[in-house]
Amino acid sequence: MNTAAHYQVDPAALDRAIDPHTRTVLDLLLYFRIPTRIVGGAVRDLLLGKEPRDIDLVADADPAVLIYLFEGHGIPVDLGGIQHGTVKAVFGHGDSKEKVDVSSLGYRIQRHGRHFEAGGTHSWRVDSQLRDLTINSMSMDTKGRVFDYLNGVRDLRNQTVRMAPHSKDSFQLDPNSIMRYFKAVSMFDHPRLHRKDLSWIRENVHLLADVADDQRVQMNLISILKSPNRQQTLDLMCNVGVGRYLPFLPC
């Protein structure tokens, strides 16, 4: 049964957080009756009373449907995240270009040698399990109702950073998720961590070597360095061996 704990975000705060481009995309998806929710860090930040930096969407539609829908309404698309089922709706030109990420519900493309396997789900619970951390696994409808399948709200209140049930696959597909883990740690004054998660990161921290020059890795490190909890986070990163693969890390 696809049940979840429900919480409520102030609708006025949510309305203020939705920028005009995201509003355009949301209105288009809802007009065509495509079930769509706000996901990830935006939900977490709104629950913390913070204004989210950006808003990511998940829609119960195949990426091909999203591409067809956007282009049919004059919105260019960026397919740079298509392996994760993400279609980026592009607004503006040049330096003023902005993108709205829309991911297909539970969609992933995996490569096995010379073969590719693509698949999705129509379950919001399964989609939440595929996310990196429980505090990023929550989803929210346009009325501010939060759906929490993995006790993310509880973990948020307890300053617990915990990997989602199937996040290890996502971490291997996108090693930058390891940096997002430490960025989450840096959010809290007294973070609670799980030993199994840290053991997995120690064993797989070498994956960062392939993305050391990735801009997203750099941006996550910058966020960590700006945090008031940066020193304890950097100490943890060095302790699990991140410095061996990110030579610019001050270990």
Side-chain angles (χ1 to χ4, degrees):
M1 189 174 178
N2 210 22
T3 58
H6 297 300
Y7 302 88
Q8 182 68 44
V9 164
D10 178 14
L14 173 59
D15 188 63
R16 289 192 300 270
I18 299 177
D19 62 273
H21 296 322
T22 302
R23 177 68 67 187
T24 296
V25 172
L26 268 173
D27 289 347
L28 183 61
L29 292 167
L30 296 177
Y31 177 80
F32 284 95
R33 298 182 179 180
I34 296 176
T36 304
R37 293 183 187 176
I38 297 166
V39 298
V43 183
R44 179 199 67 219
D45 289 346
L46 285 165
L47 285 168
L48 289 172
K50 300 178 180 179
E51 184 173 343
R53 187 184 64 179
D54 50 31
I55 292 179
D56 294 331
L57 306 176
V58 166
D60 190 2
D62 190 87
V65 173
L66 298 175
I67 295 168
Y68 180 82
L69 184 61
F70 294 152
E71 291 187 338
H73 287 79
I75 302 174
V77 297
D78 178 342
L79 301 181
I82 195 65
Q83 72 272 26
H84 306 296
T86 301
V87 176
K88 300 174 187 287
V90 182
F91 296 87
H93 304 279
D95 294 338
S96 62
K97 187 181 294 183
E98 296 183 15
K99 301 177 183 180
V100 178
D101 286 9
V102 185
S103 299
S104 291
L105 184 61
Y107 193 90
R108 295 290 188 277
I109 296 177
Q110 297 188 36
R111 180 177 178 180
H112 305 284
R114 292 185 295 171
H115 302 282
F116 289 89
E117 179 183 337
T121 178
H122 295 288
S123 167
W124 291 97
R125 174 184 291 278
V126 172
D127 184 79
S128 72
Q129 293 173 344
L130 295 172
R131 302 201 168 274
D132 53 359
L133 305 171
T134 58
I135 60 174
N136 294 334
S137 70
M138 298 165 287
S139 57
M140 176 174 58
D141 64 19
T142 54
K143 296 181 180 179
R145 189 167 67 153
V146 175
F147 301 85
D148 180 16
Y149 302 94
L150 301 177
N151 292 316
V153 172
R154 182 193 65 188
D155 286 348
L156 195 60
R157 291 171 176 170
N158 293 334
Q159 300 193 40
T160 299
V161 180
R162 181 164 58 97
M163 292 168 66
H166 301 296
S167 61
K168 292 179 177 62
D169 293 337
S170 299
F171 275 48
Q172 289 179 324
L173 287 170
D174 181 14
N176 181 54
S177 298
I178 295 174
M179 293 298 291
R180 288 202 300 271
Y181 175 92
F182 292 113
K183 180 182 175 182
V185 171
S186 73
M187 290 171 45
F188 301 118
D189 296 334
H190 305 288
R192 298 181 178 184
L193 311 178
H194 282 236
R195 290 183 179 179
K196 288 184 178 179
D197 292 348
L198 289 174
S199 295
W200 187 91
I201 289 176
R202 282 193 181 93
E203 293 172 4
N204 293 274
V205 70
H206 63 274
L207 296 171
L208 283 172
D210 294 330
V211 295
D213 296 327
D214 191 310
Q215 184 179 12
R216 296 173 303 158
V217 171
Q218 312 288 335
M219 294 301 295
N220 280 320
L221 180 58
I222 289 172
S223 295
I224 292 168
L225 293 174
K226 289 181 177 179
S227 166
N229 303 310
R230 59 185 174 275
Q231 193 55 57
Q232 67 180 22
T233 307
L234 289 171
D235 289 345
L236 176 64
M237 293 171 70
C238 292
N239 181 261
V240 299
V242 175
R244 293 198 298 272
Y245 303 99
L246 300 184
F248 46 81
L249 191 72
C251 284

